[in-house]
């Protein structure tokens, strides 16, 4: 039994018809018209199969293929369709399409299973609209509540709570949709790798062993704004000079103090007043630290904080480093890993055991169920960019392995 390549390609194309970008990648933020149209397509496909479809209070979509024991814990699969700004057409979408296609195959072959199977579309995974990644899966697992959604704002000053209500949802009822321990037997997510390992090694399938944890910090240096030409170097209180020293030290801190699996990124820098001929008054930047080993994240953060205080004293500026967000890493379930591996072996598909440096919706379910992930290659390792690409034949292999895994776990 196999999934259908033509249908997979069609689904990906239909979802990506809905984007606010016409020429520069794909932009589809949560609760926009593009999001609504793409989800209407997905729901219509679910209903064509006769699935029981529910949209929860915050906008997560769940389409259920019923097993013989409706009280037994469900087997879940899925991902997200929201994108980063000017992103790609495969991140998240591949996992959603994989779930749809697996349920189609189950339906058309009238496969009898004990456990019900759900295809899920999580809302706001990227966090690009309201600033908090995996906001939908966090709501589904009780990690965010209605008060949290009222405090999450987009660039227009509209809260996720307000946007959800305007979208026709009722976020006040989110507590009624929270999954509990025992509700889900397993969660398996198919996703593009978003790195170059599989593509460079010409391996079509990655079986994920662990997902990295993350901590994000905001660092602000404050000095004294002054004339760029008239202020001698020894009399300056320059926050940009201080910030540059800390930023340039992060690479060596990780390489010398942490682990080979630890990564750190400064992705955003703000300067005030940001004028060509003025020494800045303040500089703010973000730091994103990730590792599958929790110690790697903590060691890096501690060493960077030491450096921040050391440099602030050296340049006679004030400094503040604050934790702005974090997510726990998880080790994926051995039972699910073995089931995925057995499918790859039985189909004679080459695979690689690997870790994920990126966070995913599936890891939010790690405290209530067994989690597994299947990676398919990202060509040239590109992701979150218009050039993001995955070969459709590799996507089909991931879908075929997901099909086997779902059937085995739902028997």
């Amino acid at each position: 039994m196999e999934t259908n390549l033509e249908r997979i390609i069609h689904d990906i194309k239909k979802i990506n018809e809905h984007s606010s970008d016409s020429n520069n990648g794909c932009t589809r933020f949560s609760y926009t018209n593009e999001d609504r149209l793409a989800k209407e397509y997905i729901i219509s496909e679910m209903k064509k199969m006769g699935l029981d479809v529910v949209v929860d209070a915050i906008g997560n979509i769940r389409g259920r293929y019923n097993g013989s024991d409706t009280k037994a814990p469900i087997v879940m699969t899925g991902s997200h369709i929201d994108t980063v700004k000017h992103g790609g057409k495969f991140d998240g979408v591949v996992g959603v399409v994989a779930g749809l296609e697996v349920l189609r195959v189950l339906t058309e072959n009238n496969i009898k299973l004990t456990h019900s199977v759900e295809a899920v579309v999580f809302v706001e995974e990227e966090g690009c609209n309201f600033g908090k990644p995996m906001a939908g899966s966090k709501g589904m697992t009780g990690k965010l509540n209605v008060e949290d959604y009222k405090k999450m704002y987009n660039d227009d000053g509209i809260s996720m709570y307000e946007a959800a209500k305007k979208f026709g949802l009722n976020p006040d009822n989110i507590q009624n949709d929270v999954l509990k321990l025992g509700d889900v037997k397993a969660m398996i997510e198919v996703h593009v790798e978003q790195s170059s390992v599989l593509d460079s090694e010409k391996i079509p399938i990655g079986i994920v062993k662990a997902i990295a944890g993350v901590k994000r910090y905001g660092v602000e240096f404050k000095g004294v704004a002054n004339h760029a030409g008239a202020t001698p170097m020894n009399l300056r209180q320059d926050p940009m000079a201080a910030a540059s020293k800390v930023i340039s030290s992060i690479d060596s801190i990780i390489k010398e103090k942490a682990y080979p699996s630890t990564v750190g990124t400064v992705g955003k820098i703000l300067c005030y007043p940001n004028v060509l001929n003025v020494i800045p008054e303040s500089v703010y930047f973000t730091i994103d630290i990730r590792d599958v080993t929790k110690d790697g994240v903590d060691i890096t953060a501690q060493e960077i904080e030491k450096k921040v205080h050391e440099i602030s004293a050296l340049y006679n500026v004030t400094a503040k480093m604050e934790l702005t967000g974090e997510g726990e890493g998880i080790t994926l379930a051995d039972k699910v890993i073995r089931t995925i591996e057995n499918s790859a072996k039985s189909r004679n598909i080459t695979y690689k055991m690997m870790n994920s440096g990126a966070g995913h919706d599936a890891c939010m379910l790690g405290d209530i169920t067994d989690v597994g992930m299947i990676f398919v290659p990202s060509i040239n390792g590109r992701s979150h960019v218009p050039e993001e690409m995955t070969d459709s034949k590799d996507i089909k292999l991931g879908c075929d392995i997901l099909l086997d895994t779902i059937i085995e776990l739902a028997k």
Side-chain angles (χ1 to χ4, degrees), residues 93-367:
V93 171
V94 164
V96 169
V97 169
L100 274 180
E101 178 57 21
V102 164
L103 266 60
R104 282 198 196 101
V105 175
L106 296 179
T107 300
E108 64 192 11
N109 289 280
N110 195 26
I111 302 299
K112 305 298 182 184
L113 301 171
T114 300
H115 298 263
S116 297
V117 180
E118 282 193 0
V120 183
V121 184
F122 295 104
V123 69
E124 190 63 4
E125 190 269 357
E126 296 291 0
C128 288
N129 206 0
F130 299 98
K132 191 176 284 291
M134 293 167 279
S137 51
K138 286 175 179 175
M140 189 183 283
T141 53
K143 297 176 178 66
L144 291 177
N145 58 39
V146 66
E147 295 305 316
D148 295 315
Y149 291 120
K150 289 178 179 179
K151 298 171 185 174
M152 296 160 52
Y153 294 91
N154 64 15
D155 290 342
D156 295 323
I158 299 170
S159 72
M160 187 166 173
Y161 172 85
E162 293 170 307
K165 295 198 82 168
K166 188 177 180 181
F167 202 67
L169 303 167
N170 190 356
D172 291 300
N173 292 337
I174 188 62
Q175 71 278 358
N176 299 331
D177 301 314
V178 174
L179 295 172
K180 304 179 295 297
L181 189 66
D183 287 345
V184 182
K185 184 181 182 186
M187 166 65 186
I188 309 98
E189 182 172 3
V190 179
H191 207 281
V192 295
E193 184 199 351
Q194 301 182 283
S195 185
S196 57
V197 175
L198 294 176
D199 185 54
S200 65
E201 297 182 17
K202 306 304 178 189
I203 297 174
I205 293 294
I207 302 176
V208 181
K209 300 182 296 180
I211 299 173
V214 59
K215 285 188 176 180
R216 294 190 174 106
Y217 293 88
V219 179
E220 184 176 42
F221 285 102
K222 283 191 174 182
V224 177
N226 217 330
H227 195 286
T231 312
M233 298 301 287
N234 65 321
L235 297 180
R236 297 183 178 208
Q237 293 174 260
D238 185 349
M240 182 63 78
S244 69
K245 289 290 185 183
V246 172
I247 292 169
S248 64
S249 74
I250 292 173
D251 180 75
S252 58
I253 285 173
I254 291 173
K255 289 177 179 176
E256 295 170 12
K257 303 286 188 178
Y259 301 103
S261 54
T262 313
V263 294
T265 304
V266 173
K268 182 177 183 179
I269 302 176
L270 301 174
C271 172
Y272 178 81
N274 203 30
V275 175
L276 172 68
N277 58 356
V278 177
I279 299 165
E281 178 183 312
S282 65
V283 175
Y284 173 89
F285 60 92
T286 60
I287 308 174
D288 179 302
I289 310 168
R290 306 186 191 216
D291 201 342
V292 292
T293 304
K294 186 177 185 298
D295 282 355
V297 175
D298 292 340
I299 289 167
T300 302
Q302 290 163 11
E303 292 296 323
I304 292 173
E305 190 164 20
K306 284 183 195 174
K307 180 64 71 172
V308 166
H309 294 306
E310 172 192 322
I311 294 298
S312 67
L314 183 65
Y315 283 85
N316 194 24
V317 295
T318 62
K320 180 171 62 175
M321 178 170 167
E322 290 186 332
L323 181 68
T324 59
E326 62 183 316
E328 288 291 326
I330 66 166
T331 301
L332 302 193
D334 186 66
K335 177 182 177 181
V336 182
I337 290 172
R338 297 282 81 81
T339 305
I340 296 169
E341 184 179 26
N342 289 340
S343 169
K345 287 178 177 177
S346 70
R347 290 181 180 269
N348 199 27
I349 298 171
T350 305
Y351 64 92
K352 180 184 182 71
M353 294 291 184
M354 61 193 306
N355 295 323
S356 172
H360 300 283
D361 284 310
C363 66
M364 291 299 104
L365 280 77
D367 55 353

Side-chain angles (χ1 to χ4, degrees), residues 20 27-38 129 167:
S20 63
T27 300
R28 188 171 43 249
F29 284 0
S30 301
Y31 306 143
T32 59
N33 189 52
E34 302 83 52
D35 183 51
R36 184 187 299 279
L37 292 171
N129 206 0
F167 202 67

